[in-house]
Amino acid sequence: MGTQPPAPFVYVVWCEFAPGEDLPDWHRWYDEVHIPGMLSVPGISAVHRCQLLGRENQFLAIYDIESPAVFDHPRYAEVRGWGPWQGHIVSWSREVLSRTGAIGEATGRQAT
């Protein structure tokens, strides 16, 4: 069984969610509505969500994409954005990055 090489680009979205808001409902919407919608866009193959350590309301989403052209697809226009949570996002930013380095497994070795 072979593994598929990673997508040549990543789309990274950072956001800060308003303090005191309902994080469980936010996560539910993101996991059950937003991610499936984004994965329905041709050329988006994976999503990884992260929470910044020590920062309860700050999150990072990393999307594996085939090309920045995914943003021109009509389906992307339908599913992008914060949906009903728009007013709860304090700040956010996004970038598209090209993969440039080798990707491999960690060896588990420690420096001596």
Side-chain angles (χ1 to χ4, degrees), residues 72-86:
D72 297 329
H73 195 281
R75 181 64 181 148
Y76 176 75
E78 294 171 3
V79 299
R80 67 182 289 266
W82 306 112
W85 298 98
Q86 181 68 43

Side-chain angles (χ1 to χ4, degrees), residues 17 20-34 49 59 82-85 88-89:
F17 197 74
E21 294 294 335
D22 190 356
L23 285 174
D25 283 346
W26 155 256
H27 289 303
R28 191 175 304 97
W29 173 82
Y30 211 103
D31 292 341
E32 296 175 5
V33 176
H34 188 64
R49 290 187 68 209
F59 304 96
W82 306 112
W85 298 98
H88 303 273
I89 303 301

Side-chain angles (χ1 to χ4, degrees), residues 82-102:
W82 306 112
W85 298 98
Q86 181 68 43
H88 303 273
I89 303 301
V90 175
S91 61
W92 66 281
S93 65
R94 64 183 177 173
E95 296 289 338
V96 175
L97 300 102
S98 174
R99 293 190 194 267
T100 58

